[in-house]
Short mmCIF file of all heavy atoms in Angstrom, two decimals:
data_model
loop_
_atom_site.label_atom_id
_atom_site.label_comp_id
_atom_site.label_asym_id
_atom_site.label_seq_id
_atom_site.Cartn_x
_atom_site.Cartn_y
_atom_site.Cartn_z
N MET A 1 127.27 81.92 107.36
CA MET A 1 127.30 83.01 108.32
C MET A 1 128.07 84.18 107.71
O MET A 1 129.11 83.99 107.09
CB MET A 1 127.99 82.53 109.62
CG MET A 1 128.22 83.67 110.61
SD MET A 1 128.96 83.16 112.14
CE MET A 1 127.51 82.69 113.01
N PRO A 2 127.58 85.37 107.86
CA PRO A 2 128.21 86.51 107.20
C PRO A 2 129.51 86.99 107.86
O PRO A 2 130.18 87.85 107.32
CB PRO A 2 127.14 87.60 107.27
CG PRO A 2 126.29 87.23 108.43
CD PRO A 2 126.32 85.73 108.50
N ILE A 3 129.89 86.44 109.00
CA ILE A 3 131.16 86.81 109.62
C ILE A 3 132.20 85.75 109.27
O ILE A 3 132.02 84.57 109.55
CB ILE A 3 131.04 86.92 111.16
CG1 ILE A 3 130.00 87.97 111.55
CG2 ILE A 3 132.41 87.22 111.79
CD1 ILE A 3 130.36 89.40 111.14
N SER A 4 133.28 86.17 108.64
CA SER A 4 134.37 85.27 108.29
C SER A 4 135.53 85.49 109.24
O SER A 4 135.81 86.62 109.64
CB SER A 4 134.84 85.53 106.86
OG SER A 4 133.81 85.24 105.96
N VAL A 5 136.20 84.40 109.59
CA VAL A 5 137.32 84.44 110.53
C VAL A 5 138.60 84.17 109.75
O VAL A 5 138.71 83.16 109.05
CB VAL A 5 137.13 83.40 111.65
CG1 VAL A 5 138.27 83.48 112.65
CG2 VAL A 5 135.80 83.61 112.36
N ASP A 6 139.56 85.09 109.87
CA ASP A 6 140.82 84.99 109.12
C ASP A 6 142.02 84.69 110.01
O ASP A 6 143.12 85.19 109.76
CB ASP A 6 141.06 86.29 108.35
CG ASP A 6 140.07 86.48 107.22
OD1 ASP A 6 139.62 85.47 106.64
OD2 ASP A 6 139.74 87.63 106.91
N ILE A 7 141.81 83.89 111.05
CA ILE A 7 142.93 83.55 111.93
C ILE A 7 144.01 82.80 111.16
O ILE A 7 145.21 83.02 111.38
CB ILE A 7 142.45 82.74 113.15
CG1 ILE A 7 141.60 83.65 114.06
CG2 ILE A 7 143.62 82.16 113.93
CD1 ILE A 7 140.97 82.95 115.24
N ASP A 8 143.62 81.94 110.22
CA ASP A 8 144.59 81.20 109.41
C ASP A 8 145.55 82.13 108.68
O ASP A 8 146.75 81.86 108.60
CB ASP A 8 143.89 80.32 108.38
CG ASP A 8 143.35 79.04 108.96
OD1 ASP A 8 143.82 78.63 110.03
OD2 ASP A 8 142.45 78.46 108.33
N VAL A 9 145.01 83.22 108.16
CA VAL A 9 145.83 84.19 107.43
C VAL A 9 146.90 84.78 108.35
O VAL A 9 148.08 84.85 108.00
CB VAL A 9 144.94 85.31 106.84
CG1 VAL A 9 145.80 86.41 106.21
CG2 VAL A 9 143.97 84.74 105.82
N MET A 10 146.48 85.18 109.55
CA MET A 10 147.43 85.78 110.49
C MET A 10 148.42 84.76 111.00
O MET A 10 149.60 85.08 111.21
CB MET A 10 146.68 86.45 111.65
CG MET A 10 145.85 87.64 111.24
SD MET A 10 146.75 88.90 110.30
CE MET A 10 147.94 89.42 111.50
N LEU A 11 147.99 83.52 111.20
CA LEU A 11 148.91 82.46 111.63
C LEU A 11 150.01 82.27 110.57
O LEU A 11 151.19 82.14 110.91
CB LEU A 11 148.17 81.14 111.85
CG LEU A 11 147.39 81.02 113.15
CD1 LEU A 11 146.54 79.75 113.13
CD2 LEU A 11 148.32 81.01 114.34
N ALA A 12 149.61 82.25 109.32
CA ALA A 12 150.59 82.08 108.24
C ALA A 12 151.55 83.26 108.19
O ALA A 12 152.77 83.07 108.04
CB ALA A 12 149.86 81.92 106.90
N ARG A 13 151.02 84.47 108.33
CA ARG A 13 151.88 85.66 108.29
C ARG A 13 152.88 85.67 109.44
O ARG A 13 153.99 86.17 109.29
CB ARG A 13 151.03 86.93 108.35
CG ARG A 13 150.28 87.22 107.08
CD ARG A 13 149.51 88.50 107.18
NE ARG A 13 148.73 88.73 105.97
CZ ARG A 13 147.77 89.62 105.87
NH1 ARG A 13 147.45 90.38 106.90
NH2 ARG A 13 147.12 89.76 104.73
N ARG A 14 152.46 85.16 110.58
CA ARG A 14 153.32 85.16 111.78
C ARG A 14 154.14 83.88 111.90
O ARG A 14 154.91 83.72 112.85
CB ARG A 14 152.49 85.34 113.05
CG ARG A 14 151.65 86.61 113.08
CD ARG A 14 152.51 87.87 113.04
NE ARG A 14 151.70 89.06 113.21
CZ ARG A 14 151.45 89.95 112.26
NH1 ARG A 14 151.93 89.77 111.04
NH2 ARG A 14 150.72 91.02 112.50
N LYS A 15 153.93 82.94 110.94
CA LYS A 15 154.62 81.65 110.97
C LYS A 15 154.45 80.98 112.34
O LYS A 15 155.42 80.55 112.98
CB LYS A 15 156.10 81.80 110.61
CG LYS A 15 156.32 82.31 109.20
CD LYS A 15 157.78 82.49 108.89
CE LYS A 15 158.05 82.86 107.47
NZ LYS A 15 157.36 83.97 106.91
N MET A 16 153.19 80.89 112.77
CA MET A 16 152.85 80.36 114.08
C MET A 16 151.88 79.20 113.91
O MET A 16 151.03 79.22 113.02
CB MET A 16 152.21 81.47 114.92
CG MET A 16 152.00 81.14 116.37
SD MET A 16 151.24 82.50 117.31
CE MET A 16 152.49 83.78 117.16
N SER A 17 151.98 78.20 114.77
CA SER A 17 151.07 77.06 114.71
C SER A 17 149.83 77.34 115.55
O SER A 17 149.83 78.22 116.43
CB SER A 17 151.76 75.81 115.25
OG SER A 17 151.95 75.92 116.65
N VAL A 18 148.79 76.58 115.29
CA VAL A 18 147.55 76.70 116.08
C VAL A 18 147.84 76.39 117.54
O VAL A 18 147.37 77.08 118.44
CB VAL A 18 146.46 75.75 115.52
CG1 VAL A 18 145.26 75.70 116.44
CG2 VAL A 18 146.05 76.18 114.12
N GLY A 19 148.65 75.36 117.78
CA GLY A 19 148.98 74.98 119.16
C GLY A 19 149.72 76.08 119.89
O GLY A 19 149.44 76.35 121.07
N GLU A 20 150.66 76.71 119.22
CA GLU A 20 151.42 77.80 119.84
C GLU A 20 150.50 78.98 120.15
O GLU A 20 150.58 79.56 121.24
CB GLU A 20 152.57 78.25 118.94
CG GLU A 20 153.39 79.37 119.54
CD GLU A 20 154.50 79.88 118.63
OE1 GLU A 20 154.73 79.29 117.56
OE2 GLU A 20 155.11 80.90 118.99
N LEU A 21 149.64 79.33 119.20
CA LEU A 21 148.72 80.44 119.42
C LEU A 21 147.79 80.14 120.59
O LEU A 21 147.60 80.98 121.47
CB LEU A 21 147.91 80.74 118.15
CG LEU A 21 146.88 81.87 118.28
CD1 LEU A 21 147.54 83.19 118.65
CD2 LEU A 21 146.09 82.00 116.98
N ALA A 22 147.22 78.94 120.62
CA ALA A 22 146.31 78.56 121.70
C ALA A 22 147.02 78.66 123.05
O ALA A 22 146.47 79.20 124.02
CB ALA A 22 145.78 77.15 121.48
N ASP A 23 148.25 78.17 123.11
CA ASP A 23 149.03 78.21 124.35
C ASP A 23 149.29 79.65 124.79
O ASP A 23 149.10 79.99 125.96
CB ASP A 23 150.35 77.46 124.16
CG ASP A 23 151.14 77.33 125.44
OD1 ASP A 23 150.54 76.90 126.45
OD2 ASP A 23 152.34 77.65 125.43
N ARG A 24 149.68 80.49 123.86
CA ARG A 24 150.01 81.88 124.20
C ARG A 24 148.77 82.70 124.56
O ARG A 24 148.85 83.64 125.35
CB ARG A 24 150.78 82.53 123.06
CG ARG A 24 152.19 81.91 122.92
CD ARG A 24 152.99 82.48 121.79
NE ARG A 24 153.21 83.91 121.96
CZ ARG A 24 153.83 84.67 121.07
NH1 ARG A 24 154.28 84.13 119.95
NH2 ARG A 24 154.00 85.95 121.28
N VAL A 25 147.62 82.35 123.97
CA VAL A 25 146.38 83.07 124.25
C VAL A 25 145.73 82.55 125.55
O VAL A 25 145.04 83.28 126.23
CB VAL A 25 145.40 82.95 123.06
CG1 VAL A 25 144.01 83.45 123.41
CG2 VAL A 25 145.95 83.73 121.88
N GLY A 26 145.97 81.27 125.85
CA GLY A 26 145.40 80.69 127.05
C GLY A 26 144.07 80.01 126.82
O GLY A 26 143.22 79.98 127.71
N ILE A 27 143.86 79.46 125.63
CA ILE A 27 142.66 78.68 125.34
C ILE A 27 143.09 77.32 124.79
O ILE A 27 144.25 77.14 124.40
CB ILE A 27 141.71 79.39 124.35
CG1 ILE A 27 142.39 79.63 122.98
CG2 ILE A 27 141.21 80.69 124.92
CD1 ILE A 27 141.46 80.24 121.94
N THR A 28 142.18 76.38 124.77
CA THR A 28 142.52 75.06 124.26
C THR A 28 142.62 75.09 122.74
O THR A 28 141.94 75.89 122.08
CB THR A 28 141.46 74.01 124.67
OG1 THR A 28 140.24 74.31 124.01
CG2 THR A 28 141.26 73.98 126.18
N PRO A 29 143.45 74.22 122.19
CA PRO A 29 143.51 74.13 120.72
C PRO A 29 142.14 73.80 120.12
O PRO A 29 141.81 74.29 119.04
CB PRO A 29 144.52 73.01 120.47
CG PRO A 29 145.40 73.04 121.68
CD PRO A 29 144.48 73.39 122.83
N ALA A 30 141.33 73.00 120.82
CA ALA A 30 140.00 72.66 120.31
C ALA A 30 139.11 73.91 120.23
O ALA A 30 138.41 74.10 119.24
CB ALA A 30 139.35 71.61 121.20
N ASN A 31 139.15 74.75 121.26
CA ASN A 31 138.34 75.97 121.23
C ASN A 31 138.85 76.94 120.17
O ASN A 31 138.06 77.63 119.52
CB ASN A 31 138.32 76.65 122.60
CG ASN A 31 137.39 75.95 123.56
OD1 ASN A 31 136.51 75.20 123.16
ND2 ASN A 31 137.59 76.20 124.84
N LEU A 32 140.15 77.01 119.98
CA LEU A 32 140.70 77.85 118.93
C LEU A 32 140.27 77.34 117.56
O LEU A 32 139.93 78.13 116.68
CB LEU A 32 142.23 77.93 119.03
CG LEU A 32 142.90 78.81 117.98
CD1 LEU A 32 142.38 80.25 118.02
CD2 LEU A 32 144.42 78.80 118.18
N ALA A 33 140.24 76.02 117.40
CA ALA A 33 139.82 75.43 116.12
C ALA A 33 138.36 75.78 115.82
O ALA A 33 138.01 76.09 114.68
CB ALA A 33 140.01 73.92 116.14
N VAL A 34 137.50 75.75 116.85
CA VAL A 34 136.09 76.12 116.66
C VAL A 34 135.99 77.56 116.17
O VAL A 34 135.25 77.87 115.24
CB VAL A 34 135.30 75.92 117.98
CG1 VAL A 34 133.93 76.58 117.90
CG2 VAL A 34 135.16 74.44 118.28
N LEU A 35 136.76 78.44 116.78
CA LEU A 35 136.75 79.85 116.37
C LEU A 35 137.35 80.00 114.97
O LEU A 35 136.77 80.65 114.10
CB LEU A 35 137.54 80.68 117.38
CG LEU A 35 137.68 82.17 117.09
CD1 LEU A 35 136.30 82.83 117.02
CD2 LEU A 35 138.52 82.83 118.15
N LYS A 36 138.48 79.37 114.74
CA LYS A 36 139.20 79.49 113.49
C LYS A 36 138.39 78.97 112.30
O LYS A 36 138.44 79.53 111.22
CB LYS A 36 140.51 78.69 113.61
CG LYS A 36 141.43 78.75 112.43
CD LYS A 36 142.74 78.06 112.72
CE LYS A 36 142.67 76.58 112.69
NZ LYS A 36 142.47 75.99 111.36
N ASN A 37 137.61 77.94 112.53
CA ASN A 37 136.84 77.33 111.45
C ASN A 37 135.45 77.95 111.27
O ASN A 37 134.65 77.46 110.49
CB ASN A 37 136.71 75.82 111.67
CG ASN A 37 138.06 75.14 111.59
OD1 ASN A 37 138.91 75.53 110.80
ND2 ASN A 37 138.29 74.13 112.41
N GLY A 38 135.18 79.03 112.02
CA GLY A 38 133.92 79.74 111.85
C GLY A 38 132.73 79.07 112.47
O GLY A 38 131.59 79.39 112.13
N ARG A 39 132.94 78.13 113.39
CA ARG A 39 131.83 77.43 114.03
C ARG A 39 131.43 78.04 115.37
O ARG A 39 130.46 77.60 115.98
CB ARG A 39 132.19 75.95 114.22
CG ARG A 39 132.38 75.21 112.90
CD ARG A 39 132.52 73.72 113.09
NE ARG A 39 133.35 73.32 114.19
CZ ARG A 39 134.63 72.99 114.12
NH1 ARG A 39 135.25 73.02 112.95
NH2 ARG A 39 135.29 72.62 115.18
N ALA A 40 132.15 79.05 115.83
CA ALA A 40 131.84 79.69 117.12
C ALA A 40 130.60 80.55 116.99
O ALA A 40 130.38 81.21 115.97
CB ALA A 40 133.02 80.51 117.60
N LYS A 41 129.78 80.55 118.02
CA LYS A 41 128.59 81.40 118.06
C LYS A 41 128.92 82.77 118.65
O LYS A 41 128.20 83.73 118.45
CB LYS A 41 127.50 80.75 118.90
CG LYS A 41 127.03 79.43 118.37
CD LYS A 41 126.26 79.60 117.10
CE LYS A 41 125.74 78.25 116.62
NZ LYS A 41 125.40 78.25 115.24
N ALA A 42 130.02 82.85 119.41
CA ALA A 42 130.41 84.10 120.07
C ALA A 42 131.90 84.04 120.38
O ALA A 42 132.50 82.96 120.39
CB ALA A 42 129.62 84.28 121.37
N VAL A 43 132.47 85.20 120.62
CA VAL A 43 133.86 85.28 121.08
C VAL A 43 133.92 86.37 122.15
O VAL A 43 133.34 87.45 121.98
CB VAL A 43 134.84 85.57 119.91
CG1 VAL A 43 134.54 86.87 119.22
CG2 VAL A 43 136.27 85.54 120.39
N ARG A 44 134.58 86.07 123.24
CA ARG A 44 134.73 87.06 124.30
C ARG A 44 135.72 88.12 123.86
O ARG A 44 136.71 87.83 123.19
CB ARG A 44 135.23 86.40 125.57
CG ARG A 44 134.22 85.49 126.20
CD ARG A 44 134.72 84.98 127.54
NE ARG A 44 133.65 84.27 128.19
CZ ARG A 44 133.80 83.19 128.90
NH1 ARG A 44 135.02 82.69 129.09
NH2 ARG A 44 132.78 82.61 129.46
N PHE A 45 135.43 89.37 124.27
CA PHE A 45 136.36 90.45 123.94
C PHE A 45 137.74 90.17 124.53
O PHE A 45 138.75 90.51 123.91
CB PHE A 45 135.84 91.79 124.45
CG PHE A 45 134.79 92.40 123.56
CD1 PHE A 45 134.08 93.50 124.00
CD2 PHE A 45 134.50 91.91 122.31
CE1 PHE A 45 133.12 94.10 123.19
CE2 PHE A 45 133.55 92.48 121.49
CZ PHE A 45 132.85 93.59 121.94
N ALA A 46 137.80 89.55 125.70
CA ALA A 46 139.10 89.23 126.31
C ALA A 46 139.89 88.27 125.42
O ALA A 46 141.10 88.41 125.26
CB ALA A 46 138.91 88.64 127.71
N THR A 47 139.21 87.30 124.83
CA THR A 47 139.86 86.35 123.93
C THR A 47 140.30 87.06 122.65
O THR A 47 141.42 86.85 122.17
CB THR A 47 138.92 85.18 123.60
OG1 THR A 47 138.53 84.54 124.81
CG2 THR A 47 139.59 84.18 122.67
N LEU A 48 139.43 87.89 122.11
CA LEU A 48 139.76 88.65 120.90
C LEU A 48 140.96 89.56 121.16
O LEU A 48 141.88 89.64 120.34
CB LEU A 48 138.56 89.46 120.43
CG LEU A 48 138.72 90.25 119.14
CD1 LEU A 48 139.10 89.35 117.97
CD2 LEU A 48 137.43 91.01 118.84
N ALA A 49 140.98 90.21 122.31
CA ALA A 49 142.10 91.09 122.67
C ALA A 49 143.39 90.29 122.80
O ALA A 49 144.45 90.72 122.33
CB ALA A 49 141.80 91.83 123.97
N ALA A 50 143.31 89.11 123.41
CA ALA A 50 144.51 88.27 123.56
C ALA A 50 145.01 87.80 122.20
O ALA A 50 146.23 87.77 121.95
CB ALA A 50 144.20 87.08 124.47
N LEU A 51 144.10 87.42 121.31
CA LEU A 51 144.50 87.02 119.96
C LEU A 51 145.21 88.17 119.26
O LEU A 51 146.26 87.97 118.63
CB LEU A 51 143.28 86.59 119.15
CG LEU A 51 142.66 85.25 119.50
CD1 LEU A 51 141.28 85.11 118.88
CD2 LEU A 51 143.57 84.11 119.06
N CYS A 52 144.64 89.37 119.37
CA CYS A 52 145.25 90.54 118.72
C CYS A 52 146.62 90.86 119.32
O CYS A 52 147.54 91.22 118.58
CB CYS A 52 144.32 91.74 118.84
SG CYS A 52 142.85 91.60 117.82
N GLU A 53 146.74 90.71 120.62
CA GLU A 53 148.03 90.99 121.26
C GLU A 53 149.10 90.02 120.79
O GLU A 53 150.19 90.42 120.40
CB GLU A 53 147.88 90.92 122.78
CG GLU A 53 149.16 91.25 123.51
CD GLU A 53 149.00 91.25 125.02
OE1 GLU A 53 147.88 91.08 125.53
OE2 GLU A 53 150.03 91.40 125.70
N VAL A 54 148.77 88.72 120.81
CA VAL A 54 149.74 87.70 120.41
C VAL A 54 150.08 87.81 118.92
O VAL A 54 151.25 87.69 118.54
CB VAL A 54 149.21 86.29 120.75
CG1 VAL A 54 150.10 85.21 120.15
CG2 VAL A 54 149.12 86.11 122.27
N LEU A 55 149.07 88.05 118.10
CA LEU A 55 149.28 88.12 116.64
C LEU A 55 149.70 89.51 116.17
O LEU A 55 149.96 89.70 114.98
CB LEU A 55 148.03 87.67 115.91
CG LEU A 55 147.67 86.19 116.08
CD1 LEU A 55 146.29 85.91 115.51
CD2 LEU A 55 148.72 85.30 115.44
N GLU A 56 149.73 90.48 117.09
CA GLU A 56 150.09 91.86 116.76
C GLU A 56 149.27 92.38 115.59
O GLU A 56 149.79 92.75 114.54
CB GLU A 56 151.59 91.98 116.48
CG GLU A 56 152.44 91.59 117.67
CD GLU A 56 153.94 91.65 117.37
OE1 GLU A 56 154.32 91.90 116.21
OE2 GLU A 56 154.70 91.43 118.31
N CYS A 57 147.93 92.36 115.80
CA CYS A 57 147.02 92.79 114.74
C CYS A 57 145.81 93.49 115.36
O CYS A 57 145.70 93.60 116.57
CB CYS A 57 146.59 91.59 113.91
SG CYS A 57 145.57 90.40 114.80
N GLN A 58 144.92 93.92 114.50
CA GLN A 58 143.67 94.55 114.91
C GLN A 58 142.53 93.54 114.77
O GLN A 58 142.63 92.59 113.98
CB GLN A 58 143.38 95.77 114.03
CG GLN A 58 144.37 96.90 114.19
CD GLN A 58 144.32 97.49 115.59
OE1 GLN A 58 143.24 97.77 116.12
NE2 GLN A 58 145.48 97.66 116.19
N PRO A 59 141.42 93.73 115.51
CA PRO A 59 140.29 92.80 115.37
C PRO A 59 139.82 92.64 113.92
O PRO A 59 139.46 91.54 113.50
CB PRO A 59 139.20 93.43 116.24
CG PRO A 59 139.95 94.18 117.28
CD PRO A 59 141.17 94.72 116.57
N GLY A 60 139.87 93.70 113.15
CA GLY A 60 139.47 93.64 111.75
C GLY A 60 140.38 92.79 110.89
O GLY A 60 140.00 92.41 109.79
N ASP A 61 141.58 92.48 111.39
CA ASP A 61 142.46 91.57 110.67
C ASP A 61 142.02 90.12 110.85
O ASP A 61 142.39 89.25 110.06
CB ASP A 61 143.91 91.72 111.16
CG ASP A 61 144.49 93.09 110.87
OD1 ASP A 61 144.13 93.68 109.82
OD2 ASP A 61 145.29 93.57 111.69
N LEU A 62 141.23 89.87 111.90
CA LEU A 62 140.80 88.51 112.22
C LEU A 62 139.36 88.23 111.83
O LEU A 62 139.01 87.09 111.54
CB LEU A 62 140.95 88.25 113.73
CG LEU A 62 142.36 88.40 114.30
CD1 LEU A 62 142.33 88.18 115.80
CD2 LEU A 62 143.32 87.44 113.63
N LEU A 63 138.53 89.27 111.84
CA LEU A 63 137.10 89.11 111.57
C LEU A 63 136.67 90.06 110.47
O LEU A 63 137.08 91.21 110.45
CB LEU A 63 136.27 89.42 112.83
CG LEU A 63 136.60 88.63 114.08
CD1 LEU A 63 135.84 89.19 115.26
CD2 LEU A 63 136.28 87.15 113.89
N ARG A 64 135.82 89.56 109.56
CA ARG A 64 135.27 90.45 108.55
C ARG A 64 133.85 90.01 108.21
O ARG A 64 133.50 88.85 108.34
CB ARG A 64 136.14 90.51 107.31
CG ARG A 64 136.23 89.27 106.51
CD ARG A 64 137.30 89.39 105.41
NE ARG A 64 137.85 88.09 105.17
CZ ARG A 64 137.26 87.17 104.41
NH1 ARG A 64 136.13 87.44 103.81
NH2 ARG A 64 137.81 85.99 104.24
N TRP A 65 133.06 90.98 107.80
CA TRP A 65 131.68 90.74 107.44
C TRP A 65 131.57 90.57 105.94
O TRP A 65 132.17 91.32 105.17
CB TRP A 65 130.82 91.92 107.90
CG TRP A 65 129.38 91.78 107.53
CD1 TRP A 65 128.43 91.06 108.20
CD2 TRP A 65 128.73 92.34 106.39
NE1 TRP A 65 127.23 91.15 107.57
CE2 TRP A 65 127.38 91.94 106.43
CE3 TRP A 65 129.15 93.13 105.34
CZ2 TRP A 65 126.45 92.31 105.46
CZ3 TRP A 65 128.23 93.51 104.38
CH2 TRP A 65 126.90 93.11 104.45
N GLU A 66 130.81 89.56 105.52
CA GLU A 66 130.54 89.34 104.11
C GLU A 66 129.03 89.20 103.94
O GLU A 66 128.40 88.46 104.69
CB GLU A 66 131.21 88.05 103.61
CG GLU A 66 132.72 88.13 103.57
CD GLU A 66 133.32 86.84 103.03
OE1 GLU A 66 132.63 85.81 102.99
OE2 GLU A 66 134.49 86.88 102.66
N ALA A 67 128.48 89.87 102.97
CA ALA A 67 127.04 89.74 102.71
C ALA A 67 126.71 88.32 102.31
O ALA A 67 127.46 87.69 101.56
CB ALA A 67 126.63 90.72 101.60
N GLU A 68 125.59 87.83 102.81
CA GLU A 68 125.15 86.50 102.44
C GLU A 68 124.55 86.52 101.05
O GLU A 68 123.96 87.52 100.63
CB GLU A 68 124.13 85.97 103.44
CG GLU A 68 124.74 85.66 104.79
CD GLU A 68 123.80 84.88 105.67
OE1 GLU A 68 123.46 83.75 105.30
OE2 GLU A 68 123.41 85.42 106.71
N ASP A 69 124.70 85.44 100.35
CA ASP A 69 124.13 85.31 99.00
C ASP A 69 122.61 85.36 99.09
O ASP A 69 122.00 84.65 99.88
CB ASP A 69 124.57 83.96 98.41
CG ASP A 69 124.83 84.01 96.94
OD1 ASP A 69 124.64 85.09 96.35
OD2 ASP A 69 125.24 82.98 96.38
N ALA A 70 121.97 86.21 98.32
CA ALA A 70 120.52 86.36 98.37
C ALA A 70 119.82 85.06 97.98
O ALA A 70 118.76 84.74 98.49
CB ALA A 70 120.09 87.50 97.45
N VAL A 71 120.44 84.29 97.09
CA VAL A 71 119.82 83.04 96.63
C VAL A 71 120.06 81.92 97.63
O VAL A 71 119.15 81.23 98.04
CB VAL A 71 120.37 82.65 95.22
CG1 VAL A 71 119.83 81.30 94.80
CG2 VAL A 71 120.05 83.74 94.22
N GLY A 72 121.33 81.73 98.03
CA GLY A 72 121.67 80.61 98.89
C GLY A 72 121.68 80.93 100.37
O GLY A 72 121.72 80.04 101.19
N GLY A 73 121.64 82.23 100.75
CA GLY A 73 121.79 82.63 102.12
C GLY A 73 120.62 82.41 102.95
O GLY A 73 120.51 82.16 104.05
#
């Protein structure tokens, strides 16, 4: 998938655990793991906004687009 999720990067920068982030955002750790591991099909803007608020970042710090490989994509 050409959208990469960098929640791990922000968690490390903020020295925060997945459980703490999930609790502060108001989602289950399992749902956060689905998003964090790039398996989510969608993310609500409210969830994205809450992630940005808790992590003190911009949406572009959490999500980025990467071109798919022409051969393997």
Side-chain angles (χ1 to χ4, degrees):
M1 173 178 274
I3 301 295
S4 296
V5 182
D6 291 329
I7 291 176
D8 281 339
V9 173
M10 294 307 297
L11 283 171
R13 288 182 183 166
R14 302 297 186 251
K15 297 178 174 53
M16 189 180 297
S17 70
V18 171
E20 181 183 353
L21 178 60
D23 186 50
R24 291 179 61 184
V25 169
I27 61 176
T28 66
N31 283 341
L32 181 57
V34 167
L35 178 60
K36 183 174 76 70
N37 295 325
R39 295 189 318 264
K41 299 290 183 200
V43 60
R44 291 186 172 142
F45 280 170
T47 302
L48 183 58
L51 287 166
C52 289
E53 182 177 355
V54 171
L55 293 170
E56 299 178 355
C57 66
Q58 294 295 313
D61 296 326
L62 301 177
L63 304 172
R64 67 188 150 81
W65 178 83
E66 292 182 343
E68 290 192 64
D69 216 358
V71 175

